[in-house]
Amino acid sequence: MIKNDRWIKRTALEHKMIEPFEERQVKEGTISYGLSSYGYDLRLSDEFKILSETTPIVDPKNLGNESFHDFKGNIYTIPPNSFVLGRSIEYFRIPRKVLTICVGKSTYARCGIITNITPFEPEWEGYVTLGISNTSPFPARIYANEGIAQVIFFECDEECAISYADRKGKYQSQKDITLPKI
């Protein structure tokens, strides 16, 4: 069952599911973030990993730190038809009976900016690594400390047999922008 704002607030506060947790949707003068009717709009931190122009091929089995350079700032302009990695400000701890789906915000989608995130599995925790693509033929800005994606929470009737923590998932407890692992 999809969960509403009352469940999200209660669970976030009682179980530290989202830290820091914004109890209301903040939207004046900013791309909105915080609690919404049936989800939570997470914010983009000011840390980015930018793919080097000298990277010969993007290979998920062989993409190390040498392929990226770090950038820290409140605004980053993504070149046309390119992407950047970022991370959430919020740290998530997903309960064992919960699965999330995370989708990009429509404000960015209307500008050709797509945010790609995989589901947060039961008992996964960490800062969210975000793949942010500029599909437009023009440079596009993204803003740190503002909304970038919405997390939708689903609670199951039963606990899963094996959680992400149980199987020692490779992205468990990530603290920084995490590159692909095999």
Side-chain angles (χ1 to χ4, degrees):
M1 172 184 296
I2 193 168
K3 302 316 285 183
N4 66 20
D5 53 351
R6 292 180 303 279
W7 180 92
I8 296 166
K9 180 178 179 179
R10 183 177 64 252
T11 306
L13 296 174
E14 288 176 9
H15 302 284
K16 297 182 180 180
M17 183 173 70
I18 305 169
E19 288 187 305
F21 179 72
E22 181 57 55
E23 295 186 30
R24 62 181 179 81
Q25 192 164 64
V26 177
K27 52 187 174 182
E28 273 193 47
T30 186
I31 298 172
S32 63
Y33 63 90
L35 186 62
S36 62
S37 302
Y38 285 96
Y40 188 88
D41 293 359
L42 64 83
R43 291 172 287 171
L44 179 63
S45 81
D46 63 354
E47 300 170 16
F48 303 94
K49 285 201 176 288
I50 301 154
L51 190 64
S52 170
E53 292 179 13
T54 61
T55 300
I57 189 166
V58 178
D59 180 352
K61 290 185 175 185
N62 187 24
L63 193 62
N65 273 325
E66 67 281 354
S67 297
F68 291 88
H69 64 276
D70 295 331
F71 173 81
K72 187 171 176 107
N74 288 324
I75 298 173
Y76 180 69
T77 303
I78 306 174
N81 303 306
S82 187
F83 80 98
V84 64
L85 295 177
R87 75 162 178 87
S88 64
I89 287 175
E90 294 83 1
Y91 190 91
F92 288 83
R93 292 174 188 88
I94 305 304
R96 192 170 183 98
K97 288 177 63 173
V98 174
L99 174 72
T100 75
I101 294 178
C102 196
V103 295
K105 291 186 63 67
S106 65
T107 300
Y108 278 122
R110 294 163 199 253
C111 298
I113 299 172
I114 307 301
T115 304
N116 188 13
I117 305 130
T118 60
F120 309 166
E121 295 186 45
E123 291 194 325
W124 172 82
E125 74 169 72
Y127 291 100
V128 181
T129 295
L130 308 155
I132 307 163
S133 300
N134 175 8
T135 63
S136 81
F138 305 104
R141 286 189 175 149
I142 53 176
Y143 295 89
N145 304 304
E146 298 190 23
I148 189 73
Q150 184 178 55
V151 182
I152 302 165
F153 298 84
F154 296 89
E155 186 177 36
C156 301
D157 294 335
E158 299 177 14
E159 286 187 357
C160 60
I162 301 171
S163 73
Y164 195 81
D166 294 339
R167 61 182 154 89
K168 298 181 180 9
K170 59 188 171 185
Y171 300 111
Q172 184 72 312
S173 302
Q174 57 192 23
K175 304 286 187 227
D176 299 307
I177 299 168
T178 305
L179 299 179
K181 298 177 181 182
I182 55 167

